Amino acid sequence: MPRQKPGKNSKAAKVSQLISGAKKHFPNGSQTVSLEGVSTTIDAATQELQTYVDNRSAVVAAQATAKVKLATERAALPALDAFISAFIALVRLTFGTQADILVDFGLAPRKARTPQTAEAKAVAVAKREATRAARGTKGPKAKSEIHGNVTAKLVVTPAGEPAPTPEAPAAPAAAPVDTSAPSDGVKPQATPAKQ
């Protein structure tokens, strides 16, 4: 598993530890050392390290401030949105279709609604009816007229007696075949039973 880089805050904590260690173990801050091929003093090196820590602290403080400001903005947003919408409505009501004035407010005039032709209305009605038929949707009046129709026969059987078996419907009688017809290759037809 690859080693992950430490976060900026944990790196700033390590740099602070480096500064503390340098002040403790390099008591002579004017001692000259070579870092990355450049000659510098311990005091200058710790000052450079302190810059990193200060920058990180400033960023953390700014982030905390930004979080507070974001929370304030979010809390006020619904009321301000409603106020903005109300003000736009006021401007539109006051100046109506005066495009030159509405442009000063950054608003475009509303487009006039084009009336539908008779053909377009008829097509729209036909589409709505076809959609309702395809989906099987019904209006509230049609739904209220639909009722279940359940017919049942209630049979009460006393305890200990076998339950009665339901009667099977009688099969229709077979129709008699008329054999009196001439035998000219035509099949005899069944005559319907008289009831």
Side-chain angles (χ1 to χ4, degrees):
M1 186 171 171
R3 187 175 166 206
Q4 292 182 341
K5 290 184 177 181
K8 292 179 182 177
N9 290 340
S10 61
K11 187 174 181 180
K14 287 183 179 182
V15 171
S16 293
Q17 193 68 39
L18 285 173
I19 294 168
S20 297
K23 288 180 179 178
K24 182 176 182 180
H25 295 287
F26 291 107
N28 182 5
S30 59
Q31 179 182 353
T32 304
V33 292
S34 177
L35 294 173
E36 295 184 335
V38 178
S39 181
T40 185
T41 64
I42 294 294
D43 285 342
T46 56
Q47 188 58 41
E48 195 70 23
L49 294 172
Q50 189 62 45
T51 302
Y52 182 88
V53 173
D54 293 344
N55 288 343
R56 179 85 307 242
S57 297
V59 168
V60 169
Q63 286 174 336
T65 303
K67 283 182 182 177
V68 170
K69 293 203 178 284
L70 276 171
T72 303
E73 179 189 40
R74 284 190 190 118
L77 195 59
L80 289 173
D81 277 344
F83 182 81
I84 291 166
S85 296
F87 190 78
I88 289 172
L90 170 73
V91 170
R92 287 195 182 278
L93 183 66
T94 305
F95 300 107
T97 57
Q98 300 174 28
D100 54 338
I101 296 176
L102 290 176
V103 167
D104 292 339
F105 288 98
L107 301 173
R110 294 199 172 143
K111 293 181 182 178
R113 189 171 182 178
T114 308
Q116 282 189 326
T117 63
E119 286 180 9
K121 288 180 182 178
V123 168
V125 168
K127 281 184 180 179
R128 282 194 294 271
E129 287 176 359
T131 301
R132 287 179 71 114
R135 292 182 180 166
T137 55
K138 295 179 171 77
K141 288 184 180 178
K143 285 181 184 176
S144 68
E145 292 173 2
I146 298 172
H147 300 287
N149 189 8
V150 178
T151 56
K153 187 176 180 182
L154 180 63
V155 178
V156 178
T157 306
E161 291 185 19
T165 57
E167 297 178 13
V177 177
D178 185 13
T179 56
S180 63
S183 60
D184 56 357
V186 178
K187 293 183 180 178
Q189 296 180 350
T191 57
K194 293 183 182 178
Q195 295 180 351

